[in-house]
Each structure stands twice: as structure tokens, then as C-alpha cells.
Amino acid sequence: MRRADRLFQIVQILRRTRSPVTAAAMADELEVSKRTVYRDIGDLIGQRVPISGEAGFGYRLDPGFDMPPLMLTPDEIEAVVLGAQWVAGHSDALIANAARDVVAKIAAVIPETLRPFIAEPSMGVRPASQPPAETIDIAGIRQAIRAGRKLDLRYRTEVGEVSDRTVWPVILGYAETSRLLVAWCELRQDFRHFRTDRMLAATVSDIPIGLRAGELRRRWQAWREGQLASRQGP
């Protein structure tokens, strides 16, 4: 790896996490020695890149630091294209178009030498199977998640029972042939998964969930970790 590429990659490693990253961890990822990482960190600091920390503790990048946009490597471009292909084949029309637009925007601004990695990527996604028909507007669910508002559902279970639920939406999960809403269910007083193709109606409520930003997701993550631990057993 060229030194310039290595310096850029060190910045990328530091950008992807808020926690301090040790020289040993960076050296392992870059396949170089810790001494090389220490020297590169010193060079970056000398170039006024706002890196703080010290040997043995780890290094952090100032959250306000930014670099010229879209300085992408071929691997990064192909990763974006691969992800966009999957999203375009598995999501609703609005998000599918957004994924295609992202690729088009990247293609418009990257150097000519990198455009073949978009036009003829080395990886691809198998065409998606037709998902079950949905009667609700997925965009409304995303709106409720982003706005932190409750969602009123009319839901049909696998055995055909219909019930009305008020839920606190957390995240939409995309599987190969279905979409799932993870939400806190007021009726069950627990987190539940709701398949979007079984939703008969979904209305965004005017009532906020009443938690600080990110708190509901943190609770769900703790719940999920507990579920995984219970399945693994002692």
C-alpha cells in the first residue's frame, strides 16, 4: 500500500468509530508495524489533521474534521454499488429510486478512471424474488421512525386474527422476501416484529413516543442482546 493511501486509510479508520483506536488495531488492519502507524499518525498531526490521543491509549479524530467528498477507492465504490443493487431490488419504489440516484451521483463526480467500477462492477446481487403484496405505505412508517411518533396499526396475524395495535416503531428490517417492522407494542408491553405485508393499515400518530432521541433504539438493542443470550444458554 502506498504511503498516501495508508494515510488516507488511517483517517478512514478513525472516522468510522467514536472510540479511541489503538495503533495495534490500525497496524493489524493495514498490515504494517505499530512503528509505521505511530510515524504516520505523527505525519498526519503535522499536516494539521486533528487527531488526539497517545501510544497505549488510542487515537481519535475530531468529529468536526472533514475531507474532500467522494475520495473513494475501487473497493468502496463497488461496496456502494453492491449495496445499492440489493436495496433497489428489495425495498419500496421510493428507496429503490434513492439507491439508484446515489449511484448516479457518485458516477457523475468521481474521476473517469473509476467509472468502470460502477458500469462493470466485479460483484452483483441475484435478482430478488417478488415480495408479498403490501397494502400500506412504507414511507409513512419511515416517517414515524424518523419523527419519533407512535404508529397505529391494524394487523393480521399468520392465522388470520386481526387486531388494532399502537406501537413505537424502532427500525424497518429487510429480508430476502419480506419486510419487518421492529416496534414496542403497547398491547403486549414488549418488543415485537410485524410483517409489513400483514399490515392492513398503518397511520402515523400525532403522539410522540416521549423518549429522548436514540433511547428507544438503545432499549431495543439491550432487549435483542438479552434474547440472543437466552437462546445461547449457559
Side-chain angles (χ1 to χ4, degrees):
M1 180 183 293
R2 296 183 308 164
R3 179 176 175 276
D5 293 337
R6 193 173 66 245
L7 293 178
F8 176 77
Q9 193 58 35
I10 287 175
V11 174
Q12 291 297 96
I13 292 171
L14 295 174
R15 290 178 73 179
R16 76 169 71 124
T17 178
R18 297 179 181 178
S19 303
V21 183
T22 64
M26 286 187 277
D28 184 59
E29 180 169 339
L30 298 171
E31 297 181 346
V32 297
S33 67
K34 289 194 295 182
R35 178 176 295 180
T36 297
V37 171
Y38 291 141
R39 183 174 64 246
D40 289 345
I41 290 287
D43 290 344
L44 287 168
I45 293 173
Q47 296 172 28
R48 299 186 178 180
V49 177
I51 297 172
S52 60
E54 58 186 24
F57 171 74
Y59 297 93
R60 299 179 63 179
L61 184 66
D62 187 328
F65 176 73
D66 201 6
M67 298 177 65
L70 296 176
M71 294 177 60
L72 301 178
T73 67
D75 285 342
E76 290 169 340
I77 291 172
E78 290 200 326
V80 170
V81 173
L82 184 66
Q85 287 177 352
W86 195 95
V87 170
H90 292 79
S91 60
D92 58 281
L94 188 63
I95 294 299
N97 288 335
R100 298 185 186 101
D101 288 345
V102 167
V103 174
K105 289 178 179 179
I106 292 174
V109 297
I110 61 174
E112 187 70 32
T113 56
L114 293 176
R115 289 178 186 169
F117 293 101
I118 290 181
E120 299 175 355
S122 64
M123 301 176 289
V125 174
R126 184 180 65 182
S129 303
Q130 186 65 29
E134 295 173 334
T135 59
I136 51 94
D137 180 12
I138 293 291
I141 295 179
R142 290 198 300 272
Q143 177 188 349
I145 294 172
R146 292 167 180 169
R149 296 194 176 276
K150 297 183 181 183
L151 195 65
D152 295 323
L153 298 181
R154 172 155 288 185
Y155 191 74
R156 182 181 58 239
T157 66
E158 185 177 6
V159 296
E161 297 177 350
V162 176
S163 62
D164 292 319
R165 312 282 187 99
T166 296
V167 303
W168 304 2
V170 181
I171 191 171
L172 269 172
Y174 287 74
E176 190 67 29
T177 58
S178 64
R179 289 187 275 267
L180 293 172
L181 171 66
V182 179
W184 171 267
C185 178
E186 290 188 356
L187 178 65
R188 301 302 184 191
Q189 287 293 293
D190 204 354
F191 288 101
R192 289 289 187 269
H193 295 166
F194 300 92
R195 281 182 52 152
T196 56
D197 58 300
R198 294 178 184 163
M199 295 178 185
L200 304 179
T203 304
V204 180
S205 172
D206 292 332
I207 303 174
I209 63 174
L211 297 176
R212 295 191 305 272
E215 177 62 24
L216 182 61
R217 181 165 297 210
R218 284 190 289 271
R219 293 184 185 185
W220 165 63
Q221 290 170 339
W223 174 86
R224 183 178 58 176
E225 291 171 1
Q227 293 289 307
L228 292 173
S230 64
R231 291 172 190 169
Q232 293 173 354

